Amino acid sequence: QVQLVESGGGLVRVGDSLRLSCTISGRTMADRTMGWFRQLPGKEREFVAAITCITGVPAHANSVRDRFAISRDNAKNTVYLQMNSLRFEDTAVYYCATRTGQVLSSSSQQYEFWGQGTQVTVSS
């Protein structure tokens, strides 16, 4: 049974930084791709970033490219999302997801397993 557990969300102010973590259990992370998505109530899940765990190649959505950075630690089976210069519009529930293989995908439908989500709220 694959489980993903996110942590690191919270309430921050505009311009602050936050680092999300996601640890996978039940499967090694090394041969997989890990992704971060976010979602607002009533809206579709939005791609944020992904990384291939063997080569460490990242991809980021245009909306976060210069502010967020995805990284991974295969030894800890953990992927991170460093979020800097946070804005109001970054407020959402952030989900970690994983798929088989080294394929950078922005489609939520291509990810097999999901975490429970962690709330990030950016306020003034």
Side-chain angles (χ1 to χ4, degrees):
Q1 182 77 10
V2 176
Q3 285 192 317
L4 301 174
V5 178
E6 302 105 331
S7 61
L11 173 63
V12 295
R13 297 195 172 191
V14 171
D16 282 354
S17 297
L18 206 57
R19 189 177 80 156
L20 305 182
S21 300
C22 171
T23 300
I24 184 172
S25 61
R27 194 78 55 92
T28 180
M29 192 175 76
D31 60 349
R32 307 183 69 81
T33 296
M34 303 294 292
W36 286 99
F37 291 77
R38 63 188 182 186
Q39 188 172 27
L40 285 170
K43 294 199 172 183
E44 291 189 0
R45 206 160 284 189
E46 174 191 23
F47 171 74
V48 177
I51 189 166
T52 57
C53 292
I54 290 180
T55 57
V57 176
H60 298 85
N62 289 335
S63 59
V64 306
R65 189 180 306 277
D66 297 327
R67 301 182 296 120
F68 292 8
I70 190 171
S71 62
R72 92 283 187 231
D73 185 335
N74 289 345
K76 295 182 178 180
N77 273 341
T78 299
V79 63
Y80 305 97
L81 184 67
Q82 178 65 43
M83 305 187 294
N84 300 323
S85 302
L86 282 161
R87 305 169 179 169
F88 288 122
E89 54 264 37
D90 295 320
T91 295
V93 177
Y94 283 71
Y95 295 91
C96 176
T98 184
R99 58 157 293 159
T100 302
Q102 307 295 295
V103 179
L104 290 170
S105 174
S106 61
S107 170
S108 62
Q109 296 181 349
Q110 295 192 11
Y111 288 80
E112 306 161 277
F113 302 103
W114 293 81
Q116 81 288 352
T118 185
Q119 177 70 47
V120 172
T121 303
V122 184
S123 72
S124 59

